[in-house]
Every structure is written in structure tokens, then in C-alpha cells.
């Protein structure tokens, strides 16, 4: 299921004066069920190499550097690929800011978005099935001009995550 929400919140300014900034986040959600036990799905997704297996080829994703091959708290990864705009290669640096059993969060430190927070959750349906849940909060830079690209990015996320679903199922169910 894919959903679309627009959040409006006020963040506290670092300026001593009474200034506020507005953050408009788009939230993208996607989930699917894979016919494998949660441990197998978790092991697949917490190995950094899964990114190259489930990312669409047209993105041309490259892992430049990683602080650990397995997902761990504080891990950092540097990537390149045609991530936000298909015609231009972008560099991306993110960090695992939360890791607990069957859930982790990666947040972009530098890259094509002003904000990018990706929550990965895995829930056991039964001993043979796992639900994979992704929630992405994102915002483009450049204020109002960046807002013009958010609808496009949302559609790209739909396509990317549908591909990720099929690639995950193919990788885990058909071997």
C-alpha cells in the first residue's frame, strides 16, 4: 500500500530572534509480504550488498564506501547514482541513526535532498512470512523551487519501491 501525506510543522530557529521556519515533508509508505521467515529477511536487508540487488539498474547505484558491511548503529555509507533526477549522478552520504531488532533508520547527511529519513521495519506474519515496511520522509532543497520536484520524486519512489519489492521476492523466494 502506498500513501501520501503532507506534514506542516514549525521548527525552532537557532536565531535568538523570534523567527520560525516551516518544514514541508512528504511521507512515502510502502509495504509488502515476502514468503520467508523474518530472520532470513532481516539478514538480507542488513547486508549492505542488498542495495545493489534491489535497486533498479537505471539508477546505476554504486557503493563508494561503507564503514561496515553489515548494518550497525552509527554505520555510514557513501553512494552514487541517479537517485533524485535520472539524468544526473548524485552522491549520497547517510548514517544509521537507529538500530533495534527488526527495525533500522537511515538518514541522509549529504545528498540531493534537504531531508531524507528512511525507516525500515520488518514484522513477522507467521514463521514463514514477513512484512517489509518502508516509510520515507523527504524534502528537496531550494524552498519553493524544490517543492516543484517533490511530486516527481514521489512518483519515482513508487516505481523504485515496486522494483525493490519484486527484486526482494525474487532474491529471497526463488533461491
Amino acid at each position: 500500500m502506498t500513501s501520501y501525506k503532507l506534514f506542516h510543522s514549525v521548527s525552532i530557529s537557532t536565531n535568538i530572534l523570534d523567527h520560525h521556519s516551516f518544514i514541508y515533508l512528504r511521507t512515502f509508505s510502502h509495504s509488502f509480504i515476502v514468503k520467508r521467515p523474518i530472520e532470513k529477511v532481516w539478514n538480507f536487508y542488513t547486508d549492505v550488498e542488498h542495495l545493489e540487488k534491489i535497486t533498479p539498474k537505471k539508477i546505476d547505484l554504486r557503493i563508494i564506501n561503507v564503514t561496515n558491511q553489515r548494518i550497525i548503529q552509527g554505520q555510514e555509507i557513501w553512494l552514487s547514482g541517479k537517485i533524485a533526477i535520472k539524468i544526473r549522478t548524485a552522491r549520497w552520504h547517510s548514517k544509521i541513526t537507529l538500530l533495534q531488532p527488526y527495525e533500522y533508520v537511515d538518514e541522509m547527511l549529504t545528498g540531493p535532498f534537504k531531508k531524507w529519513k528512511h525507516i525500515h521495519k520488518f514484522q513477522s506474519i507467521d514463521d514463514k512470512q514477513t512484512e517489509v515496511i518502508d516509510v520515507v520522509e523527504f524534502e528537496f532543497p531550494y524552498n519553493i523551487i524544490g517543492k516543484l520536484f517533490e511530486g516527481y520524486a514521489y512518483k519515482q519512489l513508487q516505481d523504485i519501491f515496486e522494483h525493490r519489492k519484486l527484486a526482494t521476492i525474487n532474491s529471497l523466494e526463488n533461491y
Side-chain angles (χ1 to χ4, degrees):
M1 181 175 83
T2 303
S3 63
Y4 169 81
K5 296 176 185 172
L6 177 63
F7 292 94
H8 177 223
S9 64
V10 178
S11 65
I12 299 170
S13 175
T14 56
N15 193 329
I16 296 174
L17 299 174
D18 190 26
H19 291 253
H20 294 87
S21 62
F22 292 92
I23 301 171
Y24 297 94
L25 295 177
R26 297 267 174 135
T27 299
F28 173 84
S29 300
H30 185 270
S31 67
F32 64 94
I33 295 173
V34 62
K35 294 176 186 168
R36 281 290 179 248
I38 195 165
E39 281 300 322
K40 289 207 180 270
V41 178
W42 177 251
N43 286 336
F44 177 75
Y45 270 90
T46 55
D47 182 337
V48 171
E49 289 183 9
H50 87 277
L51 289 169
E52 293 176 333
K53 293 176 184 174
I54 67 171
T55 302
K57 298 291 183 213
K58 64 185 176 185
I59 291 178
D60 194 26
L61 183 79
R62 302 277 186 245
I63 297 172
I64 298 168
N65 194 14
V66 65
T67 57
N68 197 307
Q69 188 61 34
R70 304 284 313 167
I71 301 287
I72 61 170
Q73 180 75 36
Q75 177 202 28
E76 294 184 44
I77 187 168
W78 291 262
L79 306 164
S80 72
K82 297 174 184 169
I83 298 165
I85 300 174
K86 292 182 191 178
I87 59 172
R88 186 171 163 253
T89 299
R91 291 191 176 261
W92 186 297
H93 174 202
S94 64
K95 182 176 185 173
I96 302 300
T97 58
L98 172 76
L99 177 69
Q100 57 190 28
Y102 310 119
E103 180 178 354
Y104 65 92
V105 176
D106 68 83
E107 295 190 55
M108 185 192 72
L109 301 176
T110 60
F113 293 88
K114 183 175 182 179
K115 177 174 175 56
W116 176 275
K117 181 178 181 179
H118 184 176
I119 302 163
H120 308 255
K121 291 185 182 183
F122 306 88
Q123 294 182 342
S124 181
I125 304 297
D126 56 35
D127 61 346
K128 296 180 181 177
Q129 295 184 95
T130 302
E131 183 176 19
V132 177
I133 304 161
D134 291 284
V135 178
V136 178
E137 295 176 347
F138 69 96
E139 180 184 12
F140 271 103
Y142 312 119
N143 298 322
I144 194 73
I145 295 170
K147 304 285 176 251
L148 298 173
F149 293 101
E150 287 178 351
Y152 171 79
Y154 190 85
K155 172 65 172 118
Q156 296 307 306
L157 286 174
Q158 289 176 318
D159 294 345
I160 290 167
F161 278 83
E162 186 60 26
H163 179 90
R164 288 169 62 117
K165 169 186 150 183
L166 297 174
T168 298
I169 290 170
N170 189 48
S171 292
L172 291 175
E173 291 183 11
N174 298 325
Y175 76 99

